[in-house]
Amino acid sequence: MNEPHDILSRETDRFKRPPLRAYDQTADDIAAADMVEDYLDHQMAPLIGLIPLEERRRIRRDLADYLANDVNELAEEGRSRLDCVRSVIAEYGDTRAAADEILDHWLHQKDGNGRLSRRFGVPKIYAAIYFGVATSVVGILAQIHISAVNSQSNPLPVGFGLSPAQLRTFIPSSLPLPESSPTFGTLIAALFALPITAGVLTGWTAIVHPARACYHVMLIMIMFSFASGVLMLPACYGLMIAVLQMLYWLPVGCLFAHIGGIARRYYACRYRETP
Amino acid sequence: MADGESISREHVTVLILAVLRDSPAHGYHIMREVERRTGSDIKLRRVTLYLILRDLEADGLITSVWEHEERARHVFRLTQAGLDELEKRLEKWNRFVRAMYRATGEDFRE
């Protein structure tokens, strides 16, 4: 006796829509709601792994409320819901830029941050620390090298199979010849490796607009290096470092800061259980 | 002329508080009102507005309630602390503008 009823109820269930959106009536409304969901997914995606789940939920809920408010306002003008959602989403703008703003706010403008961080922005503070340390290391290595050269009577140049006179045809007289001493080798290695390291670390920790932060900080560092270089004359290592910072550290630091930021975002996308 | 990102956050905050001083409003209204009052010279980005409103609410300068008339609306209202803060900021702003006019010898240009 129960079987026909069961079949009927099963058949009826097959045609029931899940009660996802109680207020939606038309296909247009459903498309509008889907568009909002899709927009919010895109908006939240860059925040995954960087902002805690609880906070992300709150942001999503707030943004959904705001969107709904705005759509309702426009709907009162008699426009279709889908049309209103399109307009509101267009006004909200690029999801990546908006996500960056949210991320920057969350990561860098917390109440716990000091006055310096709030004034200059945390990314610049990170960049100043990493590039400041890098510049200091290079400065110390240069000083050690100058002391080592002064204690030697004749530092041997690296020949590359060429005599010192032949090397001079390639290197201007104002610049020192490459030397075979370990301190010189360390100095050169540090000069080339440190901006990469400092850039990646800045990108990894700052995340939002790290290249911009590097650029601003490096400009100040270069001026500082020039001033220090002038003070170190007649030894021209200081000026050499300043020139190298301008031609190599600045572009490479910014590039690797950008790469570091991307790497951090990429790493954050991978699921890891949070404690 | 400027959007909410390029002008300082502090100035945008003053604009929002000034709009809310006159009447409680929801996000959409605040955005439109800022545009109207500034002759569209300043356009707020929605996310900027959202983040500032959130901060103001966390600082107790505004409160928000859901009003259910024809449609549900998230309405923001200025608190007494918000009003005091606005007065403080406007006073500071006025001092700055007066000093600038005095220093440059300029008159206000419409």
Side-chain angles (χ1 to χ4, degrees), chain A residues 24 26-36 82 85:
Chain A
D24 287 339
T26 65
D28 189 69
D29 288 345
I30 293 167
D34 285 345
M35 194 182 277
V36 169
L82 188 59
V85 168

Side-chain angles (χ1 to χ4, degrees), chain A:
Chain A
M1 285 294 285
N2 287 337
E3 198 178 339
H5 172 73
D6 287 341
I7 290 169
L8 183 64
S9 65
R10 277 204 297 272
E11 286 298 308
T12 315
D13 285 345
R14 277 177 59 193
F15 294 102
K16 272 185 188 167
R17 285 188 65 83
L20 291 175
R21 310 169 194 86
Y23 56 86
D24 287 339
Q25 299 291 322
T26 65
D28 189 69
D29 288 345
I30 293 167
D34 285 345
M35 194 182 277
V36 169
E37 283 300 305
D38 193 32
Y39 172 79
L40 289 172
D41 283 347
H42 279 81
Q43 180 65 85
M44 301 311 292
L47 310 179
I48 292 171
L50 298 169
I51 293 181
L53 177 64
E54 234 1 82
E55 184 62 19
R56 284 205 314 274
R57 273 196 191 131
R58 194 181 148 189
I59 292 169
R60 188 184 174 107
R61 197 176 54 233
D62 287 352
L63 284 176
D65 287 348
Y66 275 46
L67 272 162
N69 267 316
D70 293 359
V71 169
N72 287 342
E73 286 303 315
L74 286 181
E76 282 180 4
E77 295 170 10
R79 294 162 66 180
S80 79
R81 204 163 182 80
L82 188 59
D83 190 28
C84 296
V85 168
R86 277 206 187 100
S87 298
V88 169
I89 285 176
E91 264 189 40
Y92 273 62
D94 177 38
T95 47
R96 183 57 185 265
D100 272 357
E101 199 173 337
I102 295 171
L103 200 56
D104 182 47
H105 186 266
W106 166 256
L107 292 171
H108 307 314
Q109 292 174 19
K110 292 180 206 161
D111 288 339
N113 289 343
R115 183 183 284 184
L116 203 65
S117 304
R118 273 183 273 137
R119 184 173 174 83
F120 295 105
V122 177
K124 279 184 199 159
I125 303 292
Y126 281 130
I129 291 169
Y130 294 128
F131 281 93
V133 169
T135 306
S136 306
V137 168
V138 166
I140 291 166
L141 288 174
Q143 289 290 353
I144 292 170
H145 177 64
I146 291 166
S147 307
V149 168
N150 288 342
S151 64
Q152 288 173 9
S153 53
N154 276 316
L156 293 171
V158 176
F160 304 112
L162 300 169
S163 70
Q166 284 171 318
L167 277 173
R168 263 293 160 230
T169 58
F170 301 108
I171 300 170
S173 56
S174 56
L175 296 176
L177 288 174
E179 295 157 22
S180 60
S181 67
T183 52
F184 188 79
T186 312
L187 178 63
I188 295 298
L191 272 171
F192 283 93
L194 282 173
I196 296 173
T197 314
V200 168
L201 285 172
T202 303
W204 189 266
T205 46
I207 306 169
V208 185
H209 305 309
R212 191 190 296 174
C214 274
Y215 176 77
H216 288 138
V217 166
M218 277 306 300
L219 288 182
I220 296 167
M221 295 272 174
I222 289 166
M223 283 191 271
F224 174 77
S225 295
F226 263 114
S228 306
V230 169
L231 291 175
M232 284 165 81
L233 286 172
C236 56
Y237 294 105
L239 285 178
M240 226 173 69
I241 289 168
V243 170
L244 199 68
Q245 276 186 330
M246 195 165 65
L247 300 178
Y248 176 73
W249 281 45
L250 182 65
V252 168
C254 291
L255 174 68
F256 276 88
H258 186 67
I259 291 170
I262 291 171
R264 176 66 188 276
R265 285 170 192 260
Y266 189 73
Y267 177 76
C269 286
R270 295 174 63 189
Y271 177 74
R272 281 173 303 281
E273 194 176 342
T274 46

Side-chain angles (χ1 to χ4, degrees), chain A residues 101, chain B residues 1-9 11-12 15 31-32 34-46 48 93:
Chain A
E101 199 173 337
Chain B
M1 183 181 80
D3 60 27
E5 196 181 26
S6 56
I7 66 168
S8 107
R9 200 181 180 80
H11 298 156
V12 176
L15 287 171
M31 203 172 72
R32 289 281 166 264
V34 167
E35 263 185 65
R36 190 188 67 76
R37 291 184 186 193
T38 59
S40 294
D41 278 347
I42 295 173
K43 288 182 178 172
L44 296 185
R45 282 178 54 166
R46 291 301 275 115
T48 308
W93 175 252

